Amino acid sequence: MAAVIGPDRGRPGPVAHAGGGPGLDAVEPPLRKVGMRDVARLAGVSHQTVSRVLNDLPNVSASTRERVLDAVRVLNYRRNMAARTLVTSRSRTIGLIGFETTLAGPASMIYGIEKAAREAGYYVSIATIRSLERHAVLDAVEQLCAQAVEGIIAIAPKNSVADALTQVPLGTPAVGVGGADDGFVPMLRVDNVRGACLATSHLLELGHGTVHHIPGPADWPEARDRIDGWRQTLHAAGAPVPPIEPGDWSARSGYLRGQRLAADSRVTAVFCGNDHIALGVLRAFHEAGRPVPGRVSVVGFDDTPESGYFLPPLTTIHQDFAELGRRSVDLLVSQLAGSPTPEVGPVHLSPHLVVRASANSAP
């Protein structure tokens, strides 16, 4: 499904006519479809002036601009985007491909991208896909291109999404967010390896002999990177590397695998692939009579809005999703403005450790 979200525009108050006559608020909007000439007639200007105001062109006085916008509000005028595109050759619309999920990370990315696009003066047309398979992404690309979007940003947590972006038509720039580097499409992502290193190092510095890890799905690049960072840190410290069991991103998955770890008295520190997994782990250790952080320390990844209210509050790795959204929009808009496509290679944003109460010195 698709939804179109427009940039913010001010809503000026009513303008009173000279001589104390009724303001524009007193005018009844016509029953037929409102056109630009209706706005011009009510504002007392030419339709060319209305066009200049709506297209944010110069050489319009502030008072005239305010009068036109007030008439637009009173008449509830809705612009014909297809006609505007024909006239200006610009739709001022960015296509955004997301997917159906309850995960906090992708949802926060969508919000950050939409907000940054709105601030940059672009509409956003969102295509939500149910599957991350290549064919579903290609369908979304085709749907967005049919709406004359100027560029496409895709939440790309799996290689199939990044691969599909290579099929975007020539002349339509594309940016991926969160996925692996495919070598063809500019990609922005959090430095998951560094985040895992920070989490693992924190637990080792607290005196734990090693750190167990409960990862996310094996086919997600983010999960693989977090495994790599965890493993590299243990190797560098000369600590044992426990076996891992891939699962999914859910609290249920964390709970089931946490139960198995809780049955092993040697386990004192657990780094979880995300905060949802950590929530399940906290319950598993609580039910096993091994309190966190008294007997076991737990660290998550993502810093979801709820993680500070877990019991105990969760130490985790913070990702700046708003910055990720802003940077992805900046990258796309710079390409729309004619800047050359960046050199191949992903742009990594550094995460940071948020210390709360779920991790403590080794018992």
Side-chain angles (χ1 to χ4, degrees):
M1 72 180 185
V4 179
I5 303 172
D8 286 341
R9 187 177 292 278
R11 298 189 62 188
V15 178
H17 292 296
L24 293 181
D25 280 347
V27 178
E28 289 291 335
L31 295 178
R32 61 178 174 79
K33 185 175 180 180
V34 175
M36 190 179 294
R37 292 187 183 277
D38 296 304
V39 175
R41 188 178 301 110
L42 181 58
V45 298
S46 67
H47 75 274
Q48 291 92 341
T49 298
V50 174
S51 177
R52 295 187 70 83
V53 170
L54 296 180
N55 287 299
D56 294 322
L57 297 176
N59 302 323
V60 179
S61 69
S63 60
T64 299
R65 187 179 300 274
E66 182 180 359
R67 197 161 67 250
V68 169
L69 293 177
D70 205 14
V72 167
R73 178 182 63 81
V74 170
L75 294 175
N76 197 26
Y77 172 63
R78 294 292 181 265
R79 306 183 67 184
N80 185 326
M81 295 305 298
R84 180 182 186 274
T85 301
L86 288 173
V87 171
T88 65
S89 299
R90 296 288 304 275
S91 68
R92 300 294 295 183
T93 302
I94 291 173
L96 173 57
I97 300 175
F99 60 99
E100 293 184 0
T101 179
T102 59
L103 295 174
S108 298
M109 288 181 196
I110 289 175
Y111 174 78
I113 292 167
E114 187 277 321
K115 181 175 183 292
R118 187 172 66 245
E119 291 173 349
Y122 282 83
Y123 295 85
V124 175
S125 180
I126 302 177
T128 303
I129 55 179
R130 295 184 177 180
S131 164
L132 291 173
E133 298 304 318
R134 186 173 184 271
H135 69 86
V137 182
L138 289 175
D139 287 345
V141 168
E142 183 177 354
Q143 173 189 350
L144 292 171
C145 288
Q147 298 175 30
V149 298
E150 296 188 24
I152 293 176
I153 298 175
I155 309 298
K158 296 177 70 173
N159 291 342
S160 55
V161 180
D163 178 61
L165 290 181
T166 64
Q167 303 303 309
V168 172
L170 290 175
T172 303
V175 172
V177 182
D181 175 25
D182 65 358
F184 295 97
V185 176
M187 189 72 62
L188 287 99
R189 55 195 308 220
V190 169
D191 191 340
N192 289 284
V193 172
R194 173 167 171 73
C197 290
L198 290 172
T200 308
S201 296
H202 179 65
L203 290 166
L204 292 175
E205 290 166 1
L206 289 171
H208 297 276
T210 190
V211 177
H212 289 72
H213 181 44
I214 300 182
D219 59 345
W220 283 52
E222 292 175 333
R224 294 198 297 267
D225 284 351
R226 293 170 195 180
I227 292 172
D228 288 345
W230 162 76
R231 187 177 283 130
Q232 290 172 20
T233 306
L234 292 180
H235 280 310
V241 180
I244 58 173
E245 180 185 352
D248 59 43
W249 295 117
S250 70
R252 180 179 183 275
S253 180
Y255 175 69
L256 294 176
R257 289 179 288 169
Q259 285 180 314
R260 290 189 279 276
L261 290 181
D264 186 347
S265 61
R266 296 169 298 177
V267 175
T268 65
V270 183
F271 163 47
C272 301
N274 73 353
D275 290 354
H276 287 168
I277 293 172
L279 179 60
V281 169
L282 290 176
R283 176 181 169 182
F285 277 94
H286 173 76
E287 290 180 350
R290 302 188 62 196
V292 177
R295 298 286 300 280
V296 180
S297 292
V298 176
V299 175
F301 202 115
D302 278 344
D303 193 22
T304 63
E306 299 82 13
S307 61
Y309 298 92
F310 289 0
L311 190 63
L314 184 66
T315 294
T316 186
I317 301 298
H318 175 79
Q319 303 189 66
D320 192 340
F321 295 113
E323 177 66 8
L324 199 62
R326 186 188 67 79
R327 293 279 293 273
S328 64
V329 171
D330 286 349
L331 181 56
L332 186 66
V333 169
S334 68
Q335 293 180 71
L336 293 173
S339 299
T341 301
E343 294 183 4
V344 172
V347 177
H348 288 102
L349 275 65
S350 293
H352 65 267
L353 178 71
V354 177
V355 177
R356 298 193 179 102
S358 66
N360 207 342
S361 299

